[in-house]
């Protein structure tokens, strides 16, 4: 999740950002089997991309990996590195309205209503289970990123008015995707 798709500078590594309307963003992800060094390498690369593109959250499918995991940094400090593997939301409450962006939708930000609080269970970077009660921005990030793991995208959360006002930007992304394919 981000409110700014600006690239700051990423080395030429193999994982890159997957953008709308790439169908890889639409497949529901499968759970991570074992949290091993390969998963930790993937996580490190996801943090690298997320910080480089100025995001506060990034999910597996956004780097072309169909696994249930996401990374987050609600404070956008490089030492605030939150890892959520096989997340499971166990409680949602209240509501909040706010601007939301997504690294898979560069240059688009729109108002999305979310629950104010979210409690989830997940595994950390070492495969240890934990439970976290989140509020405000972190709760929003958790809801946005778990949407990704189910193949649900920002565009699905837009009201018809928002969709209309972002129509040109969405068409541009669709055209860019078609051009890159051919
Ligand atoms: Ni996103």
């Amino acid at each position: 999740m981000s409110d700014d798709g600006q690239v700051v500078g990423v080395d030429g590594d193999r994982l890159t950002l997957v953008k709308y309307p790439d169908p890889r963003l639409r497949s529901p992800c499968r759970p991570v089997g074992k949290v091993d060094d390969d998963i930790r390498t993937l996580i490190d690369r996801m943090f690298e991309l997320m910080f480089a593109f100025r995001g506060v959250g990034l999910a597996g499918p956004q780097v072309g990996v169909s696994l249930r995991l996401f990374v987050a940094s609600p404070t956008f400090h490089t030492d605030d590195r939150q890892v959520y593997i096989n997340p499971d939301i166990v409680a949602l409450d209240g509501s909040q309205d706010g601007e939301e962006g997504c690294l898979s939708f560069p240059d688009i930000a729109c108002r999305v209503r979310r629950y104010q609080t979210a409690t989830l269970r997940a595994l950390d970077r070492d495969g240890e289970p934990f439970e976290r009660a989140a509020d405000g921005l972190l709760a929003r990030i958790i809801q946005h990123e778990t949407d990704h793991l189910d193949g649900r995208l920002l565009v699905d959360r837009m009201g018809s008015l928002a969709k209309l006002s972002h129509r040109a930007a969405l068409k541009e992304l669709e055209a860019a995707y078609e051009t890159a394919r051919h």
Side-chain angles (χ1 to χ4, degrees), residues 1 57 62 101-104 144-145 148:
M1 194 176 108
Q62 295 184 278
C102 178
L103 295 184
S104 296
H144 178 107
E145 303 307 335
H148 273 298

Side-chain angles (χ1 to χ4, degrees), residues 121-172:
R121 296 189 185 127
L123 303 178
D124 67 14
R125 199 177 186 280
D126 299 312
E128 293 298 320
F130 67 95
E131 182 172 307
R132 181 160 298 152
D135 188 23
L137 177 61
L138 181 57
R140 176 177 291 279
I141 294 171
I142 285 168
Q143 291 165 79
H144 178 107
E145 303 307 335
T146 51
D147 267 1
H148 273 298
L149 305 184
D150 298 326
R152 203 173 297 121
L153 298 175
L154 188 62
V155 67
D156 308 327
R157 297 290 188 188
M158 285 181 189
S160 47
L161 212 65
K163 229 179 253 174
L164 200 66
S165 70
H166 292 294
R167 196 171 55 177
L170 290 169
K171 288 261 175 256
E172 218 168 279

Side-chain angles (χ1 to χ4, degrees), residues 32 34-36 39-40 43 69-70 81-87 121-132:
V32 174
K34 187 167 178 279
V35 182
D36 56 13
I39 292 292
R40 280 185 280 274
I43 285 165
L69 83 171
F70 67 88
R81 291 173 181 244
Q82 303 187 12
V83 175
Y84 299 87
I85 298 169
N86 297 341
R121 296 189 185 127
L123 303 178
D124 67 14
R125 199 177 186 280
D126 299 312
E128 293 298 320
F130 67 95
E131 182 172 307
R132 181 160 298 152

Side-chain angles (χ1 to χ4, degrees), residues 13 16 29 35 64 78 83 94 96 107 130 141 148:
D13 236 331
T16 52
C29 298
V35 182
T78 50
V83 175
Q96 56 172 318
D107 303 324
F130 67 95
I141 294 171
H148 273 298

Side-chain angles (χ1 to χ4, degrees), residues 75-138:
T75 60
F76 197 68
H77 287 145
T78 50
D79 53 358
D80 177 19
R81 291 173 181 244
Q82 303 187 12
V83 175
Y84 299 87
I85 298 169
N86 297 341
D88 185 18
I89 293 182
V90 294
L92 293 163
D93 199 18
S95 85
Q96 56 172 318
D97 250 320
E99 286 271 303
E100 201 167 303
C102 178
L103 295 184
S104 296
F105 291 82
D107 303 324
I108 292 179
C110 58
R111 291 191 85 75
V112 179
R113 172 163 288 194
R114 297 284 189 183
Y115 291 98
Q116 176 66 27
T117 62
T119 304
L120 94 173
R121 296 189 185 127
L123 303 178
D124 67 14
R125 199 177 186 280
D126 299 312
E128 293 298 320
F130 67 95
E131 182 172 307
R132 181 160 298 152
D135 188 23
L137 177 61
L138 181 57

